[in-house]
Every structure is written in C-alpha cells, then in structure tokens.
Amino acid sequence: MTCPSLESGRPASTCITCRARKVRCDGRRDVCANCERLGFGCSYDDSAGGEPDSPGVAPGPAVAVPRRRVRQACLNCHAKKARCSGSMPQCDRCRTQGLDCVYRPGKRSLPLPGIAVGVGSQDVVMQDDGEQSASYDHSAFTHGSASPVGGGFELPEPGEALAMRVFDAFFRHVHHIPMFCFLHRASLMDRYHAGTLDRALLLAMIGITALLTDLGPGMDEYGERCIEESAALCLAELEKLSILRLQALVIVVKHRILSKKFASAFMLHAVASRFASALRLNHESPNLCFLARESRRRLMWSIYMIDSSLAAGQPDFALWGDAERQIHIQLPCNERHFEFDLPETTELLRPPPPDHEGIAPPLPDVVGFIALHVRIHWMRTKILQLSTKLATAPSLEDIAALPGQCADLASQLEAFEARLPLSFRWSEANLRLRTYSPRLGIFVMTHVWWRQCYLDLYRLFLSGLKEALPPVALAQLDPHFVAQCRRSCYEHAKAMADMFAQLLTLGNGTPVTDIDLPGCAFQCSRMLYHGLQTAADEMGFTLEGVQELASVCLRAAKQCTAGSACASIQADIDKLIREGLELVIPDPSQIPNLPLPHTSDDMPTSQAFILPDPASLPTSLPPDISTSIPVTAALSNVSGDTSGSNAFEETVGGFNFVPELQPVPDASWMAFSLSSNDWLDMGHLPPPESS
C-alpha cells in the first residue's frame, strides 16, 4: 500500500530550507514565516511530499543553508543579546563600536552551587532564529583560561536583568556616598544599552553594590569575584587610559577599604592618582560638555577624598597633600544641576574671604553637599597635619603657635557652619524632611564630619591618648586654654552621639554610608569614655549615661555600613562599652615638669622638645610611663645571619599603615593610632621615620 505522504502531486507542507534546518514550517507558499523573518530563500519540492524523509526513501535535493547563528558569540554581543558575526579576532559589532572583543574560552560549565541571581537558576535567551535555548544564569562562573586574579575562573558578562537590578540599587542607596557620586545615571544607562559600557566598570558596580546592599543569596561571593576581575582588567591594560577604567578603579579602591584590604587599597590608589594626572583631571576641560566636565570634577574630588583619608595627615603618604596648588578645578555642583545637565559655576576649594565688615558671603545655591563634603575633608586634612606633627615631635615654635593655630582652625569650622543655608543646617526638622530622600546619608555625614573635625583638633589635649601632646608639652600650655579645649571636645562628642540617636529614630531606617560613620562613632565613644574618666563631675557624665551614648554609636555603626573593616570597628566599640577605655596617664610626681629651654643666638627656635636625661629620672619607672617613652632606635630583622650587613634586612613590625579613624598598635607616629586593636595586617614595609 502506498503511503499517503508520498503520493505524487500532493503539495509539500515543509519548505526545503526548514526541512534542512529541521524546524517546523507553516507551509505558507511564496515564503514561509521562518524564511521571511530570517531572510532565507524559500522554495518547495512538491515531488518530495510534505513530510520528513522516511527510511528507504531517497531524500530531497541537498540545500546549503546559511549559518545564521555562529558557534560562539563574543562576551559583548552575548551580554546585549545582539547578533554576533563570530569573526576572529574581532566581530563586526565590536569593531564598529570600538569595543574590546573577547570570546569565552572553553565550554560553558555548570553554575556554582548556592549562587542564584535573577528569576530561577536559568535565563531564557532568544536566539536569532527564534528558538529558545537555556543558558545558565550570569552569576555562574565559567571554566577556561585562568583569570589574572587567581581562582582559575573567568566571569561571564552579567545579564541585563542583573545589571538593571544593580543600577537601581546603586543609584538608590550607594550613589549618594561622595566617593561614588561621579556616575551620571542617564549617561550610564545610555552607554549600557548601546553596548559600550566598560566591563570593568560594570563589574565594579556589581561588587560595591553587592557589598553595601542586599542583592540576594550568593551575591556577596559573586561581588567579590566581580571586584577581583575588575581590578585585573584595570591593571592588565594600564597603557589604555580612559575615564571608565579610572571610575572602575576608584570603586575597587573603596571596596578594598571596606573589605579591610588596606594595603591593596593604598597601592591601587597610587595607580588611580597616576591615571588622574595622565588624564589631566586636576585641570578644567573647557572643550567638553558640562556633564563630562562635572563627572571628571567629581571623579577627581573622589580621588582627593580617598587620598586625604588614606594619608591621615601624614605628608609622606599623601599624593594630593597640597590640594589648593595641585587641583585646579571648581567644586562639584549640586545633584539637581548634575542630574538635569544644568551648567553652573560653583566655588573653588578655599572658601571666599569675608567682606570688609567681616561677613562671609552666603553659600550659593548651586553648591551642594558633595562640595561641602570635599571642603570638610580639606579642612580636616589641615587639622590632621597639625595634630600629627605635634603629637610626635613638637618644637618650641609649634607649642608657642598652637593656641593661635587652634583658634584659626576653629574659626574656619565655625565659618563653614555659619555659611550653610537654613535648609542645610542640622536640626530635627531638616533631618526628618530627608527621611525618604537618597540625600539623607550625605546630609548626616557632612555634619558628623564637622563634629569629628573638632574631636581631631581638641583630642591633642586629652592626656592618656596616644595622639595627645606629650606631657612635657602639655605642661607648658595655659591650663585654662587646655581645660577649655578638653571641654569643647567632650561637648562635640556628646552632640555627635545625639545626632546618631536622632538618626536611629527615623521611620525609613538608616541610610547606607561609607566606613566614615563607624569610624566617627568609634572616635565619639572614645572621647566620651575619656571624659568619664577625667572630667565626669565637670561634664556631668555617669557610667550609665556614657554607656547609653556609646550603645547608640554602636547601633548606628551596625545599621549603616557593611564590610569586614566596619565589623572590626563595631567590635571595638562593643569592647569599649564592656571594658572601658584604657589610658596611659603618667604620674606627675615622677615626671619632672621641665620648663621650656630659653632660646639664644646659638640655639635655633625650631629646636624640638628633648626627653629628660635618663639620669634625672627615677631609677624605677611605673610600667605605664616607661612604655609611653618613644623608642628611637629601630631594631632590625636580619634574614639568616644575625651578624654583619644584609641586603635583605627589614624593619621589625612591618608596614603599620592604616587609613583614618583606625587604630594601630604601638605606632605613635600615626595620627590615628587610637587603641591597641589590630584591625589589619599590612605587609612588611617600615613606617616613616619621625624627623
């Protein structure tokens, strides 16, 4: 019996092209739907019948079908779900748009367990021919050639669903942090949809957003991998200077700081600063549009603020230590002008001088909190430079000029606050008006930093702290001046704790902040406990009251910032609450009150204070006094041989660098050596020698 499907003369229901591709054909004459959509030639062989070839039946004529789907799309085309020509070494789309064309090596592997991004464990990707194929979620790693940053894995390009979620979380919760304010959302989204967003920047944004916000299960680990890959991409092509790569590198540096990898951040920041110098970010670019100029300004000021934090008043560590002479650009404008592309001229770093009546001009409306944040960092740098110098080796001139310098710096801080518009000043009403605003975080931190500047300035006079003036120097100052400075320090610490208490009462929760807030909360707690031990009656401090204020500081630190570095600060605040503050206060009866040496023609006025002659000291010193005397002779660690010279000799103790607000054990040269806690492990480079 003859099969009906092979009866001669019956029109074929599948065209030759669809038959060769083995896909369903709608049988439409002239051109079927598949061939019409894909641009293939469509023809039918009616003599072959309408069904697929059966065993024992001669097949129809062979047809060469154009291959519309390449064997493998490059990472850029795959991320954008765009058609890739598959040509080597660069596909047509990447060559046209000037992108780096990278193909994923090896076969796609299974996703790592425990990582789920987006909806479900798989994303459905529409291929060019209309067929659906399952591809593993973009949070999965792929096997292949080893990544430049170890691990043996290489990250695929994140999918659009994940990228959109990251962009939304970043600009909602992270962008207001001053170090990240250089990204313009509309411009970023346009570049992403055009397929020209740099991979390193996208990975950096994923990493920092995953660290500071909750993007879902498994995203913490994935964010770490993204940061490692972003850093590797930035360092692999240092000769290719671009704003996008520099933006990614700045984000990586901040991620390193938050992740307690301070040595890495310190070194990468130097690379970022070189990038900025090479790109001339510290100079205005009049030929660019306003958005490009403003973005470059914000990026440069972000680098400067990171630099001031890492240097902590140490001139040897600062790369932009003289910002007024090194950075020749105006301060950032407010967020509204940046967001809506409204060009405006702001102010320079140094505020304008007061008029002939001594009244400072009001702050222009175009100056926002980003500019104020930059300026408060600049003012704080000057305070730290002074306090660092005086806490190590104060000279006669330094001590004589200290009251005047303190008065000048305090007047600058007062002028800063006096110029603020009423809506910018700290009040419960202004705080609550920003409860649901993304600007809440920078509003709070600007005022917290203002208080912290006073703590940095006046803790010079708090005996028993490592960053305080030496007892010999304190003894030469007017007691009334010292008492006034101490009282002011305690008052600003209490005011800062009250600010944290008000922040915790907001109905929308606390904002995402940088590591600065936990650091300031730690400093605030230390000053309060110092006041409890040395001026409780004068300040009205009680143990229960100080513990309550310190607990408020701890709660604010826990709720506002994530990262292992912040967790270490929180642990130290908790320890302070449980154990109190340990002070090193010498016994006045056992340390001679040496008068200042008289200057003469044969003695320069810049001569430093000299420690008492050991013969004039008591034969037995209490432990707290003997350990507080700085040791000037550096011990050495000779590798292998303990005698003679050695080219590989290193200094004992290693590189005790830390950023601001973070303590280092037994490092009196650091402006922020605040307690005996070891929050970090910093390689083997020696600290700078004090002059």
Side-chain angles (χ1 to χ4, degrees), residues 256-309:
R256 289 281 198 268
I257 294 174
L258 291 166
S259 301
K260 201 177 174 182
K261 300 175 181 178
F262 299 114
S264 176
F266 187 70
M267 300 305 178
L268 287 177
H269 169 68
V271 177
S273 294
R274 280 296 189 188
F275 260 69
S277 298
L279 293 170
R280 304 287 288 172
L281 293 190
N282 55 327
H283 296 270
E284 293 287 356
S285 304
N287 296 329
L288 298 177
C289 68
F290 166 71
L291 283 180
R293 295 199 311 270
E294 181 65 17
S295 179
R296 290 166 63 95
R297 291 188 196 110
R298 289 171 174 237
L299 183 59
M300 183 66 245
W301 288 122
S302 295
I303 294 172
Y304 166 71
M305 287 187 284
I306 294 175
D307 186 74
S308 65
S309 298

Side-chain angles (χ1 to χ4, degrees), residues 348-404:
L348 297 177
L349 182 59
R350 178 178 290 276
D355 56 20
H356 62 280
E357 296 180 357
I359 301 176
L363 194 71
D365 293 337
V366 72
V367 176
F369 277 104
I370 299 293
L372 295 176
H373 215 80
V374 174
R375 188 168 281 165
I376 204 73
H377 269 267
W378 170 68
M379 297 170 65
R380 185 169 184 263
T381 296
K382 295 192 294 183
I383 293 174
L384 291 180
Q385 289 173 347
L386 172 66
S387 60
T388 302
K389 180 181 179 182
L390 290 174
T392 52
S395 66
L396 302 179
E397 289 181 342
D398 294 334
I399 297 301
L402 181 57

Side-chain angles (χ1 to χ4, degrees), residues 630-639 642 648-654 684-687 689:
V631 178
T632 58
L635 300 177
S636 63
N637 180 21
V638 181
S639 176
T642 57
F648 295 97
E649 183 177 2
E650 294 183 353
T651 305
V652 172
H684 302 286
L685 295 180
E689 297 179 358

Side-chain angles (χ1 to χ4, degrees), residues 2 76 171 188 210 251 263 269 292-293 312 384 398 403 406 416 427 444 471 474 484 499 508 543 555 679 686:
T2 307
N76 288 329
F171 285 101
L188 182 78
I251 295 176
H269 169 68
R293 295 199 311 270
L384 291 180
D398 294 334
C406 287
F416 175 89
S427 67
V444 171
L474 278 174
Q484 182 181 5
M499 292 167 62
N508 197 37
L543 177 60
R555 287 165 51 201
W679 290 356

Side-chain angles (χ1 to χ4, degrees), residues 96 103 159 193 292 329 337 374 470 477 495 515 621 675:
T96 302
Y103 287 91
H193 289 302
I329 55 177
H337 283 71
V374 174
L477 295 170
I515 192 176
L621 292 177
S675 72

